[in-house]
Amino acid sequence: NVRGDAQFVLLIEKDAAFMRLAEDRFYNAYPCVIISGKGQPDVATRLFLNKVRTELNIPVLGLFDADPYGLKILSVYMKGSKNMSYDSLNLTTPDIKWLGVRPSDLDKYRIPLQCRLEMTEHDIRTGKELLNEDFVKANPEWHAELQIMVSTKVKAEIQALSSFGFQYLSQEFLPRKLREGDWI
């Protein structure tokens, strides 16, 4: 049995952001379980996420890059991979909320232009393909965010937030997102 006083799971795409939050002891100020698959998640990470979410009955909030690949990685957590479809019940967490970094966050949080990246043709093609995925079409807010990304041809990584200081993620960005309930 899994027990704890966590109020949510914070699922993070990148290990650098995970380490930043661990060093800042983010979990002390905001009781949560912080999990990272260090990019594309392995089976153990997906199983663990599913177990924690199910046993504690708490929401999962995802922190991913504002690019098509961040969304593709998020989709693996939500709907699984084609190779492991036979065990999707134990390996998927379909109700993850997208906390950020979202395309609309770039202007909302005034991410400097030099921290925004121009999307390649391959990025744009991948983004357009994602617009047709069922998990995106099922959520109009996700669709709108992805549409912003594809139409502006701009992406950003979680690390762009560090342009405001190395503790901005743990002391400003995430606390504001949580305070405002700003996830979709």
Side-chain angles (χ1 to χ4, degrees), residues 105-123:
D105 290 338
L106 302 184
D107 288 337
K108 180 177 182 178
Y109 290 88
R110 296 183 174 93
I111 304 299
L113 294 177
Q114 66 268 25
C115 297
R116 302 176 191 204
L117 305 169
E118 187 176 328
M119 292 174 68
T120 65
E121 287 302 318
H122 187 261
D123 293 336

Side-chain angles (χ1 to χ4, degrees), residues 30 171-183:
Y30 299 89
Q171 293 183 355
E172 300 292 332
F173 183 78
L174 289 175
R176 180 176 167 187
K177 285 270 192 181
L178 294 169
R179 190 172 51 252
E180 295 175 357
D182 185 15
W183 54 78

Side-chain angles (χ1 to χ4, degrees), residues 9 15 27 34 39 43 50 57 78 129 150 162 166-167 178:
V9 173
D15 190 51
Y27 45 80
I34 303 174
V43 170
N50 180 285
N57 195 28
M78 293 178 69
E129 289 168 5
V150 169
S162 64
F166 68 95
Q167 290 185 311
L178 294 169

Side-chain angles (χ1 to χ4, degrees), residues 64-81:
F64 291 79
D65 288 343
D67 67 21
Y69 309 103
L71 266 185
K72 283 185 89 119
I73 292 169
L74 181 53
S75 78
V76 171
Y77 284 106
M78 293 178 69
K79 63 184 185 84
S81 65

Side-chain angles (χ1 to χ4, degrees), residues 61-96:
L61 306 176
L63 180 66
F64 291 79
D65 288 343
D67 67 21
Y69 309 103
L71 266 185
K72 283 185 89 119
I73 292 169
L74 181 53
S75 78
V76 171
Y77 284 106
M78 293 178 69
K79 63 184 185 84
S81 65
K82 291 175 184 158
N83 293 343
M84 301 292 289
S85 60
Y86 61 87
D87 197 17
S88 64
L89 181 64
N90 294 312
L91 294 176
T92 61
T93 307
D95 55 352
I96 298 171

